[in-house]
């Protein structure tokens, strides 16, 4: 494994002073579980999107969800021939998380897509055409690094692994007392170049009321021994790290009843942690004409294939869009000085092999399918557990052949 500091630390590394007066280079990322209130909202929004696309490939969906206490409000703009029940879809998300179907008042207030936007995007047609334009203006970013086997920054990869592992153990009834609302946070020490080490592992995991002090101790030891330790061993990292487990004390009440949730409020968790820049737009609840989502997926696909082809150790792709326009108005590749191939050649090759037209992006990545609900937690990238089209390394051979010329 070749290790490089994450892109976002270039020019502004996060530093802290240690007790022995050595300046450490520390980098932190977080992740949240499927029971987190924001992630519940993301799942509802994407489940509604999938329900529309399942019946109507040309559905235009921009769905938002708000959850607070025992109230859930679903809103947005949807134009579709699909017949679906937003309230029942929301309940289908909540029930597996342990909530009673009658525990929430669920309100749906969905409108149709603006006719002004529809004319710009679909050019007056009701189906996807080759002339389809961006659903809005925006900036989208894709990133990849060879720091890990799935081309993700190490900190966010570990943070995601922690919540994945904890969730899987809960689902298999192997994690005593635990519930689905959780947060993880991982700090990596990059003070020694190319030899990163874990500085801190932190989690807050919702739980049932402990019957005794011994049960609380058992809960914390379970996390250390059955979640932290196997992940650290898998990544061949150090074991002398600090841990913080439910540092605030009891975490019995969770989800929307404890904290307000909102679609799209975990955009950094959904992406690369702080490992790359971000354009600001969320993904969940948006159909494939919304470039916040499609443009970011496309940029990740290019960046990942470039790094895997040996062109560079890190790569960030930036695309800027204008509403109603077929092509990005700006396209930028940044390798942060890690390129092994001439940057001009990289740029020429990418623009030759990858069509930047929105219609081609949608069709090449097959984004007009109901594949989105599964991305609403554990991040949208580095997902080896899913067959996501933007994670495929299907352009590596073509790219390598260009580097050899």
């Amino acid at each position: 494994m070749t290790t490089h500091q994450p892109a976002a630390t270039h020019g502004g590394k996060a530093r802290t002073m240690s007790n022995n007066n050595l300046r450490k280079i520390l980098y932190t990322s977080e992740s949240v579980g499927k029971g987190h209130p924001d992630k519940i909202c993301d799942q509802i929004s994407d489940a509604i999107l999938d329900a529309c696309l399942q019946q109507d490939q040309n559905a235009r969906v921009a769905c938002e969800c708000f959850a607070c206490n025992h109230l859930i409000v679903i809103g947005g703009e949807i134009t579709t021939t699909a017949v679906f029940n937003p309230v029942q879809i929301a309940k289908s998300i909540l029930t597996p998380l342990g909530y009673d179907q009658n525990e929430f008042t669920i309100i749906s207030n969905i409108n149709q897509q603006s006719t002004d936007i529809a004319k710009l995007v679909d050019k007056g047609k009701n189906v996807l055409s080759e002339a389809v334009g961006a659903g809005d203006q925006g900036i989208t970013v894709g990133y990849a690094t060879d720091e890990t086997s799935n081309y993700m920054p190490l900190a966010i990869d570990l943070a995601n692994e922690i919540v994945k592992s904890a969730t899987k153990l809960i689902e298999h009834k192997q994690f005593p007392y635990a519930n689905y609302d959780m947060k993880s946070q991982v700090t990596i020490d990059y003070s020694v170049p190319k030899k990163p080490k874990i500085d801190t592992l932190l989690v807050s995991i919702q739980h049932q009321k402990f019957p005794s002090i011994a049960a609380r101790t058992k809960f914390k030891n379970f996390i250390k021994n059955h979640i932290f330790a196997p992940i650290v061993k898998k990544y061949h990292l150090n074991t002398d790290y600090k841990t913080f487990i439910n540092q605030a004390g009891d975490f019995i009440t969770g989800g929307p009843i404890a904290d307000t949730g909102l679609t799209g409020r975990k955009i950094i968790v959904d992406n690369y942690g702080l490992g790359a820049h971000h354009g600001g737009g969320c993904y969940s609840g948006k159909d494939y004409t919304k470039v916040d989502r499609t443009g970011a997926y496309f940029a990740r696909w290019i960046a990942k294939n470039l790094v895997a082809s040996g062109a560079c150790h890190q790569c960030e792709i930036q695309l800027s869009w204008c509403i109603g326009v077929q092509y990005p108005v700006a396209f930028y590749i940044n390798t942060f000085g890690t390129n092994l191939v001439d940057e001009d050649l990289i740029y020429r090759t990418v623009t030759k092999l990858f069509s930047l037209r929105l219609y081609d992006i949608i069709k090449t990545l097959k984004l007009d399918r109901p594949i989105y609900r599964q991305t609403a937690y554990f991040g949208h990238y580095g997902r080896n557990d899913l067959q996501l089209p933007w994670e495929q390394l299907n352009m590596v051979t073509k790219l390598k052949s260009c580097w050899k010329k």
Side-chain angles (χ1 to χ4, degrees), residues 192-233:
V192 179
K194 298 187 179 181
K195 288 186 179 181
K197 59 180 295 187
I198 301 173
D199 182 86
T200 306
L201 298 181
L202 180 157
V203 293
S204 297
I205 299 180
Q206 183 190 5
H207 57 83
Q208 301 162 21
K209 186 175 181 180
F210 295 123
S212 64
I213 295 175
R216 184 193 305 274
T217 301
K218 180 180 178 181
F219 181 81
K220 291 189 175 184
N221 287 336
F222 184 93
I223 292 170
K224 291 178 182 178
N225 298 327
H226 296 278
I227 298 176
F228 287 170
I231 292 171
V232 170
K233 183 178 180 181

Side-chain angles (χ1 to χ4, degrees), residues 112-120:
Q112 287 197 331
Q113 184 185 52
S114 161
T115 54
D116 293 334
I117 294 176
K119 289 176 183 177
L120 277 173

Side-chain angles (χ1 to χ4, degrees), residues 247-403:
Q247 197 69 14
D250 284 342
F251 184 8
I252 297 170
T253 305
I257 299 169
D259 195 7
T260 300
L262 191 66
T263 298
R265 199 158 55 180
K266 286 293 177 283
I267 56 175
I268 301 303
V269 170
D270 284 343
N271 283 262
Y272 312 97
L274 295 179
H277 298 94
H278 195 286
C282 82
Y283 302 155
S284 290
K286 296 180 180 178
D287 72 74
Y288 51 82
T289 64
K290 278 60 172 184
V291 288
D292 281 335
R293 183 169 217 159
T294 296
Y297 289 167
F298 179 61
R300 161 66 175 177
W301 182 49
I302 297 174
K304 185 175 180 180
N305 277 269
L306 280 173
V307 173
S309 75
C312 49
H313 294 297
Q314 290 185 82
C315 183
E316 185 176 273
I317 305 291
Q318 296 180 18
L319 300 163
S320 302
W321 303 86
C322 176
I323 188 169
V325 178
Q326 297 182 56
Y327 291 85
V329 296
F331 173 57
Y332 175 61
I333 301 175
N334 188 355
T335 65
F336 305 97
T338 70
N339 58 298
L340 305 173
V341 175
D342 180 76
E343 287 190 331
D344 288 338
L345 176 58
I346 292 174
Y347 182 87
R348 291 196 305 271
T349 302
V350 168
T351 53
K352 175 184 176 182
L353 295 181
F354 297 85
S355 174
L356 304 184
R357 186 171 65 159
L358 182 57
Y359 175 84
D360 295 330
I361 295 171
I362 294 166
K363 286 301 182 180
T364 299
L365 296 181
K366 300 177 182 178
L367 298 179
D368 50 354
R369 299 176 292 147
I371 59 172
Y372 299 104
R373 176 177 174 174
Q374 62 187 339
T375 67
Y377 51 87
F378 303 156
H380 293 246
Y381 307 116
R383 298 294 303 276
N384 292 335
D385 55 324
L386 305 175
Q387 298 297 315
L388 300 174
W390 53 89
E391 289 295 304
Q392 294 180 17
L393 294 174
N394 51 357
M395 295 296 288
V396 170
T397 301
K398 288 183 179 180
L399 287 166
K400 282 184 175 179
S401 67
C402 295
W403 313 149

Side-chain angles (χ1 to χ4, degrees), residues 94-126:
L94 293 163
T95 301
L97 297 175
Y99 295 103
D100 186 272
Q101 287 219 359
N102 298 317
E103 196 164 349
F104 294 91
T105 298
I106 304 176
I107 299 171
S108 176
N109 184 27
I110 295 173
N111 301 311
Q112 287 197 331
Q113 184 185 52
S114 161
T115 54
D116 293 334
I117 294 176
K119 289 176 183 177
L120 277 173
V121 174
D122 294 318
K123 313 302 180 185
K125 301 179 180 180
N126 295 321

